[in-house]
């Protein structure tokens, strides 16, 4: 029996990393064999591509180059990590997947969504998460959280607020189109309240 595939999405500062730890603990506490991974990245090659994409000193990259690098890392990720784990009956928990490309490269960069659809169809062979948890909060709040980390910003985090407003709008539009798969988490609430939201969504999947 194949495992379940869960992805986590959201704008910068939405608290994905904190809640990923909770989701991991919750699922493993239910006896789930879990593979935890991330995008871009998840493989040796993918992590090298991640460095290219996120390093702030990487400047002048064409938007199509960015798009293709994202899918190159994802194709490797699917082939080397996600599909083998699912075939072995493991569940997969991924920090971002294809919805992020629609939001960031589609909504944020303005790349035609049909082009993204075509590349996704070619590289993923129909693979999509069984459940996507979309951590949503006002962009201004997320930006304040990012700046409060005092850890510097990556190549995407240094974009202007309008970029992230477009990303958020695209995420919410996708959630409206696929409510059976994409569940919106109110990330402006307390950590305890967010954990309650997550538990209520995850229970039916078990």
């Amino acid at each position: 029996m194949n495992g379940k595939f869960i992805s986590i999405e959201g704008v910068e500062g939405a608290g994905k990393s904190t809640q990923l730890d909770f989701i991991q603990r919750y699922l493993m506490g239910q006896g789930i064999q879990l593979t935890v991974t991330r995008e871009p990245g998840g493989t040796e090659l993918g992590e090298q591509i991640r460095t290219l994409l996120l390093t702030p000193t990487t400047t002048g990259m064409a938007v199509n180059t960015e798009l293709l690098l994202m899918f190159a890392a994802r194709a490797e990720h699917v082939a080397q990590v996600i599909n083998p784990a699912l075939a072995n009956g493991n569940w997969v928990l991924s920090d971002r997947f294809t919805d992020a490309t629609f939001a960031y490269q589609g909504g944020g960069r303005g790349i035609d969504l049909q082009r993204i659809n075509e590349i996704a169809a070619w590289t993923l062979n129909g693979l999509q998460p069984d459940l996507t948890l979309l951590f949503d909060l006002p962009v201004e709040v997320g930006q304040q959280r990012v700046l409060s980390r005092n850890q510097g910003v990556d190549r995407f985090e240094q974009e202007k607020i309008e970029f992230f407003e477009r990303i958020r709008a695209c995420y919410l539009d996708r959630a409206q189109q696929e409510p059976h798969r994409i569940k919106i988490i109110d990330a402006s609430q307390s950590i305890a309240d967010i954990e309650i939201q997550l538990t209520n969504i995850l229970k039916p999947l078990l």
Side-chain angles (χ1 to χ4, degrees):
M1 179 181 295
N2 283 357
K4 299 291 186 182
F5 180 17
I6 301 173
S7 63
I8 300 176
E9 300 284 357
V11 295
E12 308 301 327
K16 291 187 298 85
S17 298
T18 299
Q19 297 305 327
L20 185 144
D21 290 339
F22 169 76
I23 296 167
Q24 180 177 357
R25 293 194 308 272
Y26 177 79
L27 292 177
M28 293 181 70
Q30 306 299 315
I32 300 295
Q33 296 294 314
L34 187 65
T35 297
V36 181
T37 187
R38 69 177 183 177
E39 288 205 349
T43 66
E44 182 177 351
L45 178 59
E47 292 296 327
Q48 294 179 41
I49 295 174
R50 180 186 180 90
T51 298
L52 283 173
L53 287 165
L54 269 61
T55 300
T57 53
T58 301
T59 58
M61 184 183 293
V63 293
N64 285 335
T65 302
E66 182 179 283
L67 174 66
L68 291 170
L69 284 174
M70 286 290 184
F71 271 107
R74 182 167 297 129
E76 190 75 3
H77 192 207
V78 168
Q80 301 297 333
V81 177
I82 297 177
N83 279 343
L86 294 174
N88 285 333
N90 286 11
W91 288 35
V92 174
L93 176 61
S94 182
D95 184 351
R96 299 198 187 281
F97 195 61
T98 309
D99 292 296
T101 302
F102 282 96
Y104 278 74
Q105 282 69 54
R109 301 294 191 206
I111 295 177
D112 184 79
L113 298 183
Q114 182 56 37
R115 181 183 302 174
I116 300 175
N117 266 318
E118 290 169 356
I119 300 175
W122 173 49
T123 55
L124 303 181
N125 293 316
L127 177 67
Q128 71 171 1
D130 297 287
L131 171 67
T132 296
L133 300 166
L134 173 57
F135 290 84
D136 179 63
L137 80 173
V139 169
E140 295 86 351
V141 177
Q143 292 293 293
Q144 291 169 6
R145 290 182 180 180
V146 170
L147 293 174
S148 68
R149 296 174 188 160
N150 294 319
Q151 296 178 347
V153 293
D154 65 30
R155 180 170 159 271
F156 288 98
E157 291 170 341
Q158 66 187 5
E159 291 286 347
K160 296 180 179 178
I161 194 168
E162 293 80 9
F163 176 74
F164 298 106
E165 292 286 5
R166 294 193 299 272
I167 289 170
R168 185 190 185 199
C170 188
Y171 268 135
L172 292 175
D173 184 61
R174 289 183 67 76
Q176 186 175 28
Q177 293 177 31
E178 299 187 59
H180 61 288
R181 175 176 68 87
I182 303 176
K183 306 300 182 182
I184 298 175
I185 306 296
D186 183 354
S188 66
Q189 295 188 0
S190 68
I191 291 177
D193 286 339
I194 292 172
E195 290 177 355
I196 292 172
Q197 293 181 68
L198 290 170
T199 301
N200 289 337
I201 292 172
L202 291 169
K203 274 184 179 179
L205 205 62
L206 298 172

